[in-house]
Amino acid sequence: MKNIAFYIASRYLLSKKGSTAVTFITWLAAVAMSVAVAAMFVIISVFSGLEDFNKSLISNLHADLTIKSTSGKTLKNLDKINSVLKKNTEISSFSRVIEEKTYINYNGKGDVAYLRGVDSAYTKVNPVDKTIFYGSYPSFEYSNEVIMERSLQNRLGIPVDDSNADFSTLFMPKPGTGIINKEEDIYNKKEIVVCGVFPGNEQLNNYIIAPIELAEELLNLPKNSAYQIVIKLKNQDNINSVQQDLLKTLGKDIEIKTKEEENAAFWKMINTEKLFIYLIFALVIFITTFNLAGAIIILQLDKKEQAKSLISLGFPLAHLRMTYFYTGILIVVLGVISGLVLGTALCYFQLYTELFKAVEDLPFPVKIVGKNYLIVATIASVFGIAISWFFSKISKDYITKT
């Protein structure tokens, strides 16, 4: 009997004969479901692309693991830390970093910036040297050679790699108390040469990357100091185990954070946006499924006489209900499959043509992943099945009464 119910449902959907209005409404419900599914798939694929794009933007800001002190800015027992890191076979490279706010001045123009002092091994952890689009990375032969974020360099009009240009000056406030008698009591200053420019983003705006010796000099720190140590792992899948091993070995006064933990606020924002995207498009699909409810109701009205005949021949009411339920399910399946095919085609179209732009020189990124197929199909199927089940509950009195 269940096979008969499914057969009748498939005939209702695929038969070319019958009411034009029923056929139109049935296929309209399938098309509406298809469009809603395609729209959701495209949007979350774009969101997946944007998520990867954001990851790539901050990849040069945070390393796989970052070691910091919990008792002050400067790391203590640096020799012990270096020894432990060198012995760990899971670690590919590590580098000392000092980061502090500074003030930069060039020909009367000034701005607040972030000075990141790094040692020569830094590019093995964060390959920021590969992002330089004008000039070159510091040679570390001179401590005053720096690279600068593009928007900061543009605002101040600082020449790049120009030996005849005036120097820029960095100012770093001095800590302490007492009476100020002269300018040198307020801050340390150092003239710098900008040898390269790298692109910025929300995470790297106003950054200056320089040899760590420059930061040590401006902050009056002893040689071989560090505010943090950044680590590159051979295999990022082992990040949690390496983190726990280092915490046990290095003991107290040390905290070790992963890239995600360093950017906790950023990822919380991304995940919140993702949740709202899912909720909004789930609501769109839910509203769309009411076209499905309309199709089932119209089908019941149009096939009322046939239903009476089936009941008279002994066809169980439960199986008649299953017929309408299967009709709804077939519409849902058709809509979901065609919607995913259409959404995939649109995503590949964007990938190959880059027609739609987020900004003038940046196309909307798209990433097609299996998880998105599962999410969209599940949401559409749950709503479709629920609506089909609810509106297939036709009563016997409705069938038998004239």
Side-chain angles (χ1 to χ4, degrees):
M1 282 294 190
K2 288 187 177 180
N3 289 336
I4 294 175
F6 182 80
Y7 173 76
I8 295 173
S10 63
R11 293 288 295 173
Y12 282 162
L13 183 65
L14 302 175
S15 178
K16 296 181 180 179
K17 297 180 181 180
S19 171
T20 304
V22 173
T23 302
F24 175 77
I25 292 173
T26 300
W27 284 99
L28 178 63
V31 170
M33 177 67 74
S34 177
V35 171
V37 167
M40 183 175 186
F41 181 79
V42 169
I43 291 299
I44 67 174
S45 294
V46 170
F47 199 91
S48 296
L50 287 171
E51 191 172 2
D52 273 10
F53 179 70
N54 284 325
K55 285 181 180 179
S56 68
L57 288 179
I58 65 170
S59 62
N60 292 336
L61 182 63
H62 296 296
D64 294 335
L65 291 173
T66 302
I67 300 177
K68 294 181 180 179
S69 172
T70 57
S71 57
K73 287 187 175 181
T74 307
L75 283 168
K76 302 175 179 62
N77 299 322
L78 205 57
D79 290 338
K80 176 185 176 182
I81 295 174
N82 287 334
S83 176
V84 169
L85 297 181
K86 287 177 181 177
K87 292 177 181 177
N88 194 308
T89 56
E90 294 288 343
I91 294 175
S92 173
S93 302
F94 62 92
S95 171
R96 292 183 297 125
V97 174
I98 296 174
E99 186 172 308
E100 194 62 82
K101 275 188 177 181
T102 187
Y103 183 81
I104 182 170
N105 180 274
Y106 178 73
N107 284 347
K109 295 181 181 179
D111 206 344
V112 175
Y114 293 91
L115 176 65
R116 174 173 287 189
V118 301
D119 62 22
S120 57
Y122 184 71
T123 53
K124 296 179 181 178
V125 180
N126 285 336
V128 67
D129 55 325
K130 295 180 180 179
T131 67
I132 294 174
F133 62 87
Y134 186 74
S136 58
Y137 191 72
S139 63
F140 284 82
E141 185 177 350
Y142 306 102
S143 65
N144 67 337
E145 290 183 337
V146 306
I147 59 173
M148 187 175 291
E149 186 266 325
R150 176 172 57 180
S151 64
L152 179 63
Q153 183 262 336
N154 283 340
R155 286 198 304 275
L156 299 179
I158 301 175
V160 178
D161 206 15
D162 187 348
S163 58
N164 296 320
D166 295 331
F167 289 106
S168 307
T169 306
L170 291 181
F171 296 87
M172 188 69 71
K174 284 184 177 180
T177 59
I179 298 173
I180 298 173
N181 296 316
K182 52 186 177 179
E183 181 180 335
E184 287 76 10
D185 294 334
I186 305 174
Y187 48 75
N188 292 322
K189 63 180 181 179
K190 182 76 175 179
E191 292 181 335
I192 59 170
V193 176
V194 179
C195 61
V197 178
F198 63 92
N201 52 64
E202 291 184 2
Q203 301 288 323
L204 281 173
N205 279 347
N206 296 347
Y207 263 79
I208 299 169
I209 297 178
I212 198 168
E213 291 78 13
L214 176 63
E216 290 172 341
E217 184 177 346
L218 286 171
L219 291 164
N220 291 331
L221 295 172
K223 289 186 176 181
N224 297 319
S225 297
Y227 281 3
Q228 54 188 255
I229 292 180
V230 291
I231 300 171
K232 177 74 173 178
L233 300 181
K234 294 178 181 177
N235 185 357
Q236 291 191 8
D237 294 337
N238 299 329
I239 189 168
N240 292 323
S241 61
V242 175
Q243 181 187 31
Q244 294 305 315
D245 288 343
L246 291 177
L247 283 171
K248 290 178 183 178
T249 307
L250 296 176
K252 298 179 179 179
D253 300 329
I254 291 293
E255 66 174 1
I256 304 175
K257 292 186 176 181
T258 64
K259 188 180 297 186
E260 287 72 21
E261 290 170 342
E262 282 283 283
N263 259 312
F266 173 77
W267 292 118
K268 184 177 180 180
M269 178 191 69
I270 290 293
N271 291 329
T272 301
E273 290 177 353
K274 184 189 295 185
L275 176 62
F276 275 100
I277 289 291
Y278 289 163
L279 290 176
I280 289 170
F281 276 89
L283 179 61
V284 170
I285 290 179
F286 177 70
I287 294 172
T288 303
T289 54
F290 281 96
N291 288 303
L292 176 62
I296 294 173
I297 291 171
I298 294 297
L299 182 64
Q300 291 170 355
L301 292 172
D302 186 69
K303 305 298 182 182
K304 185 175 181 180
E305 293 302 320
Q306 294 181 15
K308 282 183 180 181
S309 300
L310 288 171
I311 292 293
S312 300
L313 292 171
F315 194 71
L317 178 62
H319 293 165
L320 181 62
R321 290 172 176 171
M322 290 303 294
T323 299
Y324 297 129
F325 175 68
Y326 286 144
T327 303
I329 295 300
L330 288 172
I331 294 173
V332 171
V333 170
L334 180 62
V336 169
I337 292 175
S338 59
L340 291 176
V341 170
L342 176 61
T344 303
L346 290 172
C347 289
Y348 276 113
F349 177 79
Q350 172 65 10
L351 284 171
Y352 286 110
T353 66
E354 298 184 343
L355 179 63
F356 300 99
K357 307 285 186 181
V359 292
E360 185 178 352
D361 57 346
L362 177 65
F364 275 106
V366 175
K367 183 181 180 182
I368 300 173
V369 293
K371 181 178 70 173
N372 292 345
Y373 286 99
L374 181 61
I375 291 171
V376 175
T378 300
I379 291 173
S381 298
V382 167
F383 286 139
I385 291 171
I387 291 292
S388 299
W389 181 259
F390 182 81
F391 285 93
S392 66
K393 295 298 180 180
I394 191 170
S395 69
K396 189 171 183 179
D397 289 342
Y398 172 77
I399 298 295
T400 58
K401 72 180 181 180
T402 56

